Amino acid sequence: METIQGKSILNKIAIGRILYHRKSESQVVRRGVSDVREEIGRYEEALRKAEAELEVLYEKACQEVGKVNAAVFEVHKMMLTDEDYRDSVYNIITSQRVNAEYAVAVTADNFRRLFSEMEDEYFKARAVDVKDVSDRLLTLLSGNSLSGHVLSEPVILAAYDLAPSETVQLEKDMLLGFVTEQGSLNSHTAILARTMNIPALVSVPVKEEWDGKTAVIDGETGTLYIDPDEDFLRKMGKKKEDEENRERLLMELKDEEDVTLDGTRIRLYGNIGSVSDVADVLKYNAAGIGLFRSEFLYLGKETYPTEEEQFLAYRHVAEMMAGKEVIIRTLDIGADKTAGYFDLGKEENPAMGFRAIRICLERPEVFKTQLRAIYRASAFGKISVMFPMITSLWEVKRIKEIVENVKKELASRSVPFGQVALGIMIETPAAAVISRDLAREVDFFSIGTNDLTQYVLAIDRQNDKLDMFYDSHHPAVLKLIEYVAKCGHEAGCMVGICGELGADITLTEEFLRMGIDELSVSPAFLLPVRQKIRMTDLGNPSSLSTSGLL
Ligand code: PEP
Ligand code: MG
């Protein structure tokens, strides 16, 4: 048996077979070949598969978002079969006697440049399509399509890295757990694993030879075991059973209220990344959804989700929650959550770059499409909306103007919508420091402790080498949370926490003493936090030191 120590994302056990997912090669290597005919054959095979994929995507998109919006896949198909593109690939393979990947990458570069230098805006925009089509071919040539894996049995996925867009597309029912070499404990991939309630380890040097072997993830110790013997499997099976028994016991709290021993009530909400996560929020009976990370509707796609597509998703969630509050966060694209069609360009410091509300304010049409979908869905449940990465008062004022325009537009078309509370995320030091002013503009605050920690401590949350420095309990972070709660309350603004710290039961009492009104956590943490709340007595003097800024 091989034993590998990693870092655990969720304290749970998984037992199953490994499916190895090869590292995606972002860098295409130029390789000399002796048989050019074989290389052309490989290219033609990839071409056929790409055409078939696009056909399926087109049909699916026609049904889900209509013919007009599905047309992008037809454009991609036309590009694939474009004679000039094909001739260029053939020429490079035969004249330079090189591999198909290299020929596709060079052709893609040339065509992209050609399109992007054109005057006509329509043709300029086609540069993105060239990239999409070429990436599809390159993925197929490397035999590396994760979505191409049809999982016939539940597996533990082992990969060099998983992007949030890949993670969100994984079939939850078929995924027992995953292990990756890259990725920090605070990355969105890690957060998604927690939200999806999936045992996962990072910092594991994964090996292709594990493919098909039996493995055990022990989330309690952060250990991966490959090829365990029968005895060990039995032992871990027993540990898993104990874990399930503990979960069953916690389930007795499912219908209990979120109230402390002295009678203080708190709103315990769940975080979701996709519509399918609502099932767990309902299973553990959360009082609402405090963070719907809507950007996941935008990831792993060829193009922007339409208003209709978004409306249906938001409406579905609102209806499933049957009158309980659903707080939708507008898209927080950027940094590690990227989608090619946004064409954001490369940035040196993406976490501090063109992301989240900054994109929405620069591209009001994208923003308004999402707001229209949210407001339309608000006629079907209790929807609130909040905005990520706020740093300044003017941003909030500008957002409110845009929201008013959207409401006017819907009203003029007699489209029904409900009363939508407006909130902002407090996740930058700037927003925390000016929270007194911001509180006068909105109905609620939701503190994003993941980013707040990153920006207060100047620690890149994506960098796994810095995990030991990423200390959300740092007094600077806790003092800011206390300060935000005070400023929010002075202006009659509700204050919640939706970052991962909200689920840290060693801090629950401290948060309650600060007067935090709402804790929104990954569904797997709902019952442990409920248990902690119900055991807390705020009537007694605290044994904990409060952060004492004020
Ligand atoms: C946060 O920053 O705490 C947060 C909840 O948002 P995200 O983790 O999606 O950046
Ligand atoms: Mg954030």
Side-chain angles (χ1 to χ4, degrees):
M1 174 170 77
E2 206 176 333
T3 304
I4 305 103
Q5 191 58 44
K7 294 184 198 165
S8 175
I9 286 174
L10 189 67
N11 183 0
K12 280 187 79 168
I13 293 171
I15 304 176
R17 275 199 325 120
I18 292 258
L19 174 73
Y20 178 80
H21 169 55
R22 218 168 303 126
K23 178 187 174 185
S24 72
E25 295 285 343
S26 49
Q27 212 69 352
V28 172
V29 179
R30 184 181 195 275
R31 195 166 38 80
V33 295
S34 51
D35 188 347
V36 291
R37 271 223 297 250
E38 190 183 317
E39 245 5 71
I40 288 180
R42 285 183 61 232
Y43 172 61
E44 282 175 346
E45 172 72 16
L47 202 62
R48 265 196 303 280
K49 282 189 186 158
E51 272 191 89
E53 278 186 7
L54 286 169
E55 223 145 81
V56 173
L57 281 172
Y58 176 71
E59 290 304 327
K60 193 164 176 268
C62 277
Q63 279 171 15
E64 287 176 8
V65 295
K67 257 191 163 143
V68 175
N69 294 310
V72 62
F73 298 118
E74 287 221 303
V75 173
H76 283 195
K77 242 176 85 178
M78 271 157 53
M79 283 184 173
L80 262 186
T81 46
D82 177 81
E83 271 184 29
D84 292 337
Y85 188 101
R86 218 164 35 184
D87 286 352
S88 162
V89 175
Y90 285 170
N91 270 336
I92 295 171
I93 293 176
T94 45
S95 63
Q96 301 184 33
R97 302 188 75 78
V98 286
N99 54 328
E101 288 88 341
Y102 179 76
V104 168
V106 172
T107 303
D109 250 20
N110 291 340
F111 274 68
R112 262 193 90 181
R113 204 164 319 120
L114 210 76
F115 276 115
S116 56
E117 282 167 6
M118 286 184 180
E119 289 285 308
D120 186 301
E121 285 304 320
Y122 174 81
F123 286 113
K124 234 187 181 56
R126 299 285 70 79
V128 181
D129 297 315
V130 172
K131 181 172 182 319
D132 268 0
V133 166
S134 310
D135 283 351
R136 185 176 295 283
L137 282 170
L138 288 172
T139 305
L140 287 165
L141 278 166
S142 67
N144 196 31
S145 170
L146 187 56
S147 55
H149 282 301
V150 179
L151 304 178
S152 53
E153 59 167 342
V155 290
I156 293 174
L157 193 71
Y160 177 74
D161 197 9
L162 279 178
S165 57
E166 289 176 307
T167 315
V168 79
Q169 288 183 80
L170 296 169
E171 292 169 72
K172 204 169 152 182
D173 295 345
M174 289 296 181
L175 196 65
L176 298 168
F178 67 75
V179 292
T180 64
E181 191 155 333
Q182 294 286 299
S184 74
L185 292 174
N186 308 295
S187 64
H188 282 97
T189 297
I191 289 171
L192 271 178
R194 267 178 230 127
T195 308
M196 291 159 82
N197 205 359
I198 289 171
L201 304 179
V202 292
S203 293
V204 172
V206 292
K207 296 184 196 154
E208 187 159 5
E209 70 205 39
W210 294 345
D211 195 41
K213 291 191 174 167
T214 302
V216 177
I217 294 178
D218 185 349
E220 188 189 330
T221 58
T223 322
L224 175 71
Y225 302 95
I226 304 285
D227 241 351
D229 59 30
E230 284 300 317
D231 258 8
F232 188 81
L233 268 180
R234 243 193 315 276
K235 199 175 113 201
M236 291 312 285
K238 171 78 179 60
K239 191 169 175 185
K240 191 164 159 53
E241 238 176 75
D242 292 346
E243 177 186 288
E244 284 160 4
N245 284 337
R246 274 197 304 277
E247 265 183 35
R248 258 193 294 279
L249 276 179
L250 268 180
M251 272 310 268
E252 286 177 9
L253 292 176
K254 176 181 173 271
D255 295 317
E256 297 297 338
E257 294 188 312
D258 300 308
V259 56
T260 60
L261 290 172
D262 59 292
T264 307
R265 226 161 256 284
I266 181 145
R267 301 195 300 197
L268 181 58
Y269 282 12
N271 292 345
I272 63 167
S274 69
V275 177
S276 62
D277 296 332
V278 180
D280 281 344
V281 172
L282 293 172
K283 179 171 154 197
Y284 302 122
N285 199 14
I289 288 172
L291 169 62
F292 179 176
R293 288 185 163 93
S294 71
E295 58 275 12
F296 289 109
L297 294 174
Y298 292 73
L299 298 182
K301 287 228 152 34
E302 301 290 320
T303 187
Y304 296 98
T306 61
E307 179 184 320
E308 196 59 21
E309 195 178 341
Q310 293 190 60
F311 161 67
L312 290 175
Y314 304 146
R315 172 180 164 171
H316 195 158
V317 173
E319 285 180 338
M320 281 196 286
M321 291 302 289
K324 290 180 175 174
E325 185 177 18
V326 177
I327 303 178
I328 299 175
R329 172 175 77 184
T330 57
L331 70 99
D332 188 8
I333 286 285
D336 59 328
K337 292 175 286 192
T338 52
Y341 59 87
F342 271 84
D343 214 10
L344 299 178
K346 194 165 160 34
E347 292 183 296
E348 287 301 322
N349 287 305
M352 294 196 280
F354 191 43
R355 58 172 289 200
I357 201 65
R358 300 169 187 179
I359 297 176
C360 289
L361 292 176
E362 279 271 311
R363 300 181 184 179
E365 274 322 309
V366 173
F367 193 31
K368 281 187 185 165
T369 303
Q370 180 170 34
L371 288 172
R372 274 195 300 271
I374 292 173
Y375 270 84
R376 282 173 57 200
S378 70
F380 298 86
K382 186 170 179 344
I383 284 187
S384 304
V385 62
M386 68 178 176
F387 306 96
M389 278 295 285
I390 297 295
T391 54
S392 304
L393 198 58
W394 72 262
E395 291 166 339
V396 181
K397 291 190 169 163
R398 179 76 195 109
I399 290 167
K400 285 168 74 180
E401 277 167 23
I402 296 174
V403 166
E404 280 313 307
N405 286 342
V406 165
K407 282 164 70 178
K408 272 197 199 114
E409 186 195 323
L410 292 176
S412 72
R413 288 171 21 217
S414 306
V415 178
F417 58 87
Q419 190 76 25
V420 177
L422 293 187
I424 53 171
M425 292 200 59
I426 303 289
E427 53 183 346
T428 65
V433 171
I434 62 163
S435 53
R436 183 163 282 130
D437 299 326
L438 293 171
R440 291 191 205 104
E441 297 292 330
V442 291
D443 302 310
F444 66 94
F445 285 160
S446 188
I447 305 176
T449 53
N450 310 333
D451 276 318
L452 190 62
T453 305
Q454 153 164 270
Y455 298 121
V456 168
L457 303 185
I459 286 171
D460 178 0
R461 65 191 267 198
Q462 289 299 113
N463 188 336
D464 56 352
K465 289 191 201 74
L466 300 177
D467 278 343
M468 68 175 282
F469 296 100
Y470 184 95
D471 175 16
S472 298
H473 288 222
H474 192 290
V477 176
L478 296 180
K479 283 179 182 188
L480 279 176
I481 295 173
E482 187 182 15
Y483 181 68
V484 169
K486 181 174 184 288
C487 294
H489 290 151
E490 276 171 10
C493 190
M494 299 288 279
V495 182
I497 295 177
C498 67
E500 298 292 283
L501 206 58
D504 184 335
I505 53 173
T506 65
L507 288 172
T508 310
E509 180 174 345
E510 193 157 355
F511 290 149
L512 291 173
R513 288 189 186 278
M514 289 177 189
I516 294 292
D517 305 291
E518 170 210 308
L519 291 172
S520 191
V521 303
S522 295
F525 295 100
L526 282 165
L527 295 183
V529 175
R530 175 168 297 149
Q531 188 179 39
K532 182 69 195 178
I533 292 169
R534 295 176 58 77
M535 283 162 48
T536 301
D537 187 357
L538 299 177
N540 279 334
S542 164
S543 55
L544 300 162
S545 63
T546 49
S547 44
L549 173 77
L550 312 164

Short mmCIF file of all heavy atoms in Angstrom, two decimals, residues 188 293 329 332 337 355 388-389 425 427 448-452 455 461, ligand 2:
data_model
loop_
_atom_site.label_atom_id
_atom_site.label_comp_id
_atom_site.label_asym_id
_atom_site.label_seq_id
_atom_site.Cartn_x
_atom_site.Cartn_y
_atom_site.Cartn_z
N HIS A 188 -11.19 28.30 -5.06
CA HIS A 188 -12.61 28.04 -5.32
C HIS A 188 -12.85 26.57 -5.61
O HIS A 188 -13.95 26.06 -5.35
CB HIS A 188 -13.12 28.93 -6.46
CG HIS A 188 -13.37 30.31 -5.97
ND1 HIS A 188 -12.47 31.33 -6.11
CD2 HIS A 188 -14.41 30.82 -5.27
CE1 HIS A 188 -12.94 32.42 -5.54
NE2 HIS A 188 -14.12 32.14 -5.02
N ARG A 293 -23.41 31.40 -5.61
CA ARG A 293 -22.28 31.87 -6.44
C ARG A 293 -22.68 31.77 -7.91
O ARG A 293 -22.38 30.78 -8.58
CB ARG A 293 -21.03 31.03 -6.16
CG ARG A 293 -20.37 31.28 -4.80
CD ARG A 293 -19.07 30.50 -4.67
NE ARG A 293 -18.24 30.98 -3.60
CZ ARG A 293 -18.24 30.49 -2.35
NH1 ARG A 293 -19.04 29.51 -2.03
NH2 ARG A 293 -17.43 31.00 -1.43
N ARG A 329 -25.58 36.20 -5.54
CA ARG A 329 -24.46 37.12 -5.74
C ARG A 329 -24.25 37.27 -7.24
O ARG A 329 -24.17 36.27 -7.95
CB ARG A 329 -23.20 36.56 -5.10
CG ARG A 329 -21.98 37.41 -5.46
CD ARG A 329 -20.76 36.96 -4.77
NE ARG A 329 -20.18 35.78 -5.37
CZ ARG A 329 -19.12 35.14 -4.86
NH1 ARG A 329 -18.57 35.56 -3.75
NH2 ARG A 329 -18.64 34.08 -5.47
N ASP A 332 -19.10 36.78 -10.14
CA ASP A 332 -17.79 37.09 -9.56
C ASP A 332 -16.73 36.39 -10.41
O ASP A 332 -15.96 35.57 -9.91
CB ASP A 332 -17.76 36.60 -8.10
CG ASP A 332 -16.50 37.04 -7.36
OD1 ASP A 332 -15.73 37.84 -7.91
OD2 ASP A 332 -16.29 36.57 -6.23
N LYS A 337 -11.57 32.14 -11.47
CA LYS A 337 -12.80 31.73 -12.14
C LYS A 337 -12.89 32.42 -13.49
O LYS A 337 -13.33 33.57 -13.58
CB LYS A 337 -14.02 32.08 -11.28
CG LYS A 337 -14.10 31.26 -10.01
CD LYS A 337 -15.22 31.69 -9.12
CE LYS A 337 -14.95 32.98 -8.41
NZ LYS A 337 -15.88 33.30 -7.33
N ARG A 355 -12.12 42.04 -12.30
CA ARG A 355 -12.95 40.93 -11.86
C ARG A 355 -14.24 41.44 -11.22
O ARG A 355 -14.39 42.62 -10.92
CB ARG A 355 -12.20 40.02 -10.89
CG ARG A 355 -11.67 40.70 -9.64
CD ARG A 355 -11.11 39.70 -8.65
NE ARG A 355 -12.17 38.92 -8.04
CZ ARG A 355 -12.03 38.25 -6.88
NH1 ARG A 355 -10.89 38.26 -6.24
NH2 ARG A 355 -13.04 37.59 -6.37
N PRO A 388 -20.35 41.59 -5.44
CA PRO A 388 -19.04 41.22 -4.89
C PRO A 388 -17.96 42.26 -5.14
O PRO A 388 -18.07 43.09 -6.05
CB PRO A 388 -18.71 39.94 -5.68
CG PRO A 388 -19.40 40.13 -7.01
CD PRO A 388 -20.60 41.00 -6.77
N MET A 389 -16.91 42.22 -4.32
CA MET A 389 -15.68 42.99 -4.54
C MET A 389 -15.88 44.51 -4.54
O MET A 389 -15.22 45.23 -5.29
CB MET A 389 -15.02 42.58 -5.87
CG MET A 389 -14.19 41.35 -5.80
SD MET A 389 -12.75 41.52 -4.75
CE MET A 389 -11.68 42.52 -5.74
N MET A 425 -21.16 42.56 -0.66
CA MET A 425 -20.19 41.75 0.07
C MET A 425 -19.13 42.68 0.64
O MET A 425 -18.69 43.62 -0.02
CB MET A 425 -19.54 40.74 -0.86
CG MET A 425 -20.55 39.70 -1.29
SD MET A 425 -19.78 38.21 -1.89
CE MET A 425 -18.82 37.66 -0.51
N GLU A 427 -15.66 42.33 1.46
CA GLU A 427 -14.55 41.37 1.31
C GLU A 427 -13.25 42.07 0.92
O GLU A 427 -12.26 41.40 0.61
CB GLU A 427 -14.92 40.27 0.31
CG GLU A 427 -15.41 40.75 -1.03
CD GLU A 427 -15.81 39.59 -1.96
OE1 GLU A 427 -15.47 38.43 -1.68
OE2 GLU A 427 -16.46 39.88 -2.98
N GLY A 448 -17.36 38.50 3.23
CA GLY A 448 -16.66 37.44 2.51
C GLY A 448 -15.28 37.25 3.12
O GLY A 448 -14.31 37.90 2.73
N THR A 449 -15.22 36.37 4.11
CA THR A 449 -13.97 36.25 4.87
C THR A 449 -12.84 35.62 4.05
O THR A 449 -11.67 35.78 4.41
CB THR A 449 -14.20 35.41 6.14
OG1 THR A 449 -14.81 34.18 5.74
CG2 THR A 449 -15.08 36.14 7.13
N ASN A 450 -13.18 34.92 2.97
CA ASN A 450 -12.11 34.29 2.17
C ASN A 450 -11.26 35.37 1.51
O ASN A 450 -10.03 35.36 1.59
CB ASN A 450 -12.70 33.38 1.09
CG ASN A 450 -13.73 32.42 1.64
OD1 ASN A 450 -13.67 32.08 2.80
ND2 ASN A 450 -14.67 32.01 0.82
N ASP A 451 -11.94 36.28 0.84
CA ASP A 451 -11.19 37.36 0.20
C ASP A 451 -10.72 38.40 1.22
O ASP A 451 -9.63 38.95 1.08
CB ASP A 451 -12.04 38.04 -0.89
CG ASP A 451 -11.94 37.27 -2.20
OD1 ASP A 451 -10.82 36.85 -2.55
OD2 ASP A 451 -12.98 37.08 -2.86
N LEU A 452 -11.54 38.64 2.24
CA LEU A 452 -11.12 39.63 3.23
C LEU A 452 -9.77 39.20 3.85
O LEU A 452 -8.86 40.01 3.98
CB LEU A 452 -12.19 39.77 4.33
CG LEU A 452 -11.98 40.94 5.29
CD1 LEU A 452 -12.01 42.28 4.56
CD2 LEU A 452 -13.02 40.94 6.41
N TYR A 455 -6.95 39.79 1.28
CA TYR A 455 -6.53 41.18 1.05
C TYR A 455 -5.99 41.85 2.31
O TYR A 455 -5.08 42.67 2.23
CB TYR A 455 -7.69 41.99 0.46
CG TYR A 455 -8.14 41.48 -0.90
CD1 TYR A 455 -9.44 41.05 -1.11
CD2 TYR A 455 -7.24 41.39 -1.96
CE1 TYR A 455 -9.84 40.56 -2.34
CE2 TYR A 455 -7.63 40.89 -3.19
CZ TYR A 455 -8.93 40.48 -3.38
OH TYR A 455 -9.31 39.99 -4.60
N ARG A 461 -4.75 33.74 -1.95
CA ARG A 461 -5.44 32.55 -1.46
C ARG A 461 -5.26 31.35 -2.38
O ARG A 461 -5.56 30.21 -2.01
CB ARG A 461 -6.94 32.85 -1.23
CG ARG A 461 -7.70 33.17 -2.48
CD ARG A 461 -9.08 33.72 -2.18
NE ARG A 461 -10.11 32.70 -2.16
CZ ARG A 461 -11.41 32.96 -2.27
NH1 ARG A 461 -11.86 34.21 -2.34
NH2 ARG A 461 -12.30 32.00 -2.27
MG MG B 2 -14.93 36.57 -2.51
#
